[in-house]
Amino acid sequence: VLVNVFDANNALMPLLFHAARWEVDQCLTAQTLFRRNSLTTKLGTVCARMYGQGYLRGLLQKHIGDMISEDKISYEIDPGRLRDQGQLGPNTDSLSKLCRSILDAILSSEEALPPLLRL
């Protein structure tokens, strides 16, 4: 509700900025920055869900669907989990192609990225 109120009044970005600044000022070590269960991290989580969930779903849905429907392609590259060690090379190639495809989709989706998530 807090995020909706600030967003409706065009004050969400200043709220997030000030919350992040406060979090940085309160932090004693870099290792714990944004790792606490604080108002700042909760605001970030809510905003990411509100503004990023649809974007990510649209971006990744095809790739995940392809992974699920292609039961002849394996992406397993952990040698301890492979039944046939000869599959490591082909699986590595499959995983590399999948990762490249997802990365290309991300890099070409700037227009679809919600404005609030752009820096």
Side-chain angles (χ1 to χ4, degrees):
V1 175
L2 180 67
V3 171
N4 290 332
V5 170
F6 276 85
D7 191 27
N9 290 296
N10 294 322
L12 185 55
M13 284 306 291
L15 172 67
L16 293 172
F17 176 80
H18 290 297
R21 172 59 54 201
W22 180 86
E23 184 86 12
V24 169
D25 291 344
Q26 299 300 311
C27 187
L28 300 176
T29 66
Q31 292 81 6
T32 60
L33 185 59
F34 300 116
R35 306 277 297 181
R36 300 179 319 136
N37 189 17
S38 65
L39 177 62
T40 304
T41 57
K42 289 180 182 184
L43 285 171
T45 299
V46 168
C47 288
R49 280 190 186 133
M50 282 178 60
Y51 297 99
Q53 188 172 26
Y55 164 74
L56 285 177
R57 180 173 284 127
L59 186 72
L60 299 176
Q61 190 168 18
K62 177 193 177 303
H63 301 286
I64 293 171
D66 290 347
M67 285 176 59
I68 293 169
S69 66
E70 275 297 332
D71 51 333
K72 294 185 181 193
I73 297 177
S74 176
Y75 303 99
E76 182 60 66
I77 59 171
D78 180 354
R81 300 186 82 179
L82 286 172
R83 292 185 190 132
D84 177 6
Q85 295 300 315
Q87 287 301 115
L88 183 59
N91 290 2
T92 301
D93 292 341
S94 295
L95 182 60
S96 293
K97 288 177 187 173
L98 174 67
C99 290
R100 172 53 56 195
S101 175
I102 291 172
L103 185 59
D104 288 345
I106 292 169
L107 295 175
S108 65
S109 70
E110 183 179 353
E111 292 299 318
L113 185 66
L116 185 75
L117 300 179
R118 296 179 190 177
L119 295 176

